[in-house]
Amino acid sequence: SIDANQRTSTVIVNLIGPGAAVEVYGLFFGVDQESFSLTHEVYHRAPHTKSNIITRGALGGQAKTVYSGNIHIEKGVPGCDGRQEARPLLLSRDAHIDAVPHLEIGNNEVVCSHSVSVSYIGEAKKFYLESRGLSEADAVQAVVRGHFADVLDKIKNTGVKNEAEKRIEEKL
């Protein structure tokens, strides 16, 4: 951590046994002038390993994030399946993300994918929700809650899930 507004997180996973598997879930929510540096790396070091990195984030105010997702598949480890998906949601025009998905593949007998989809809450979506009786603030909150829901639903540890939900609500 550089200061109170800068947060750094690095998750590195080594899949070293044949058939090993991991799912990595990342959540971030920045407001005001908060800044994040997030890195997720999975190293496939054995055959028939599987990884799935799923990241959701929201940034409001002048918040900024640098996100790097890396899947490394070594030579001589066939049958691996590595996937990563990041979906940051920008809540203001001053918020910013630099997202860099990366695949390093050492052989041909693998399945890999990566994607980053940065989005805003469009005026049409806000209008639709407001026409159903929600205020603009409630409409934005509903969209943000829905944005995080697919990752939150995957968290099996109720303590971790409850803490994540609490922190999201504090930011809203």
Side-chain angles (χ1 to χ4, degrees):
S1 235
I2 295 173
D3 61 38
N5 288 328
Q6 169 71 43
R7 290 169 181 83
T8 300
S9 174
T10 301
V11 175
I12 299 172
V13 177
N14 286 289
L15 300 173
I16 58 174
V22 67
E23 293 216 358
V24 176
Y25 307 124
L27 298 170
F28 63 91
F29 195 163
V31 295
D32 302 324
Q33 294 180 334
E34 290 179 314
S35 178
F36 298 91
S37 176
L38 308 171
T39 302
H40 297 141
E41 294 192 39
V42 177
Y43 291 86
H44 293 256
R45 301 187 189 279
H48 306 289
T49 52
K50 184 174 182 176
S51 67
N52 193 14
I53 304 170
I54 303 171
T55 306
R56 297 290 181 271
L59 297 170
Q62 295 176 329
K64 296 181 180 4
T65 296
V66 175
Y67 172 76
S68 176
N70 302 300
I71 295 175
H72 307 269
I73 298 180
E74 293 185 356
K75 287 184 178 181
V77 290
C80 297
D81 185 342
R83 300 170 192 270
Q84 68 175 291
E85 172 191 297
R87 290 192 197 160
L89 177 65
L90 301 182
L91 304 175
S92 77
R93 295 289 173 193
D94 293 327
H96 181 77
I97 184 160
D98 290 319
V100 182
H102 181 74
L103 299 174
E104 186 176 318
I105 302 169
N107 62 66
N108 294 327
E109 298 176 32
V110 299
V111 176
C112 289
S113 67
H114 62 82
S115 68
V116 173
S117 177
V118 179
S119 62
Y120 292 91
I121 299 176
E123 293 302 316
K125 187 178 282 189
K126 279 196 274 188
F127 176 78
Y128 174 80
L129 293 170
E130 290 171 21
S131 72
R132 300 300 184 263
L134 295 177
S135 68
E136 181 176 353
D138 288 341
V140 169
Q141 290 175 1
V143 171
V144 170
R145 285 185 190 107
H147 180 71
F148 285 113
D150 67 327
V151 171
L152 289 169
D153 289 345
K154 293 178 187 310
I155 299 173
K156 293 179 173 89
N157 182 308
T158 55
V160 171
K161 181 178 180 176
N162 290 342
E163 182 65 24
E165 290 173 335
K166 175 183 161 195
R167 289 186 184 203
I168 290 167
E169 289 302 315
E170 288 171 356
K171 300 282 182 158
L172 289 172

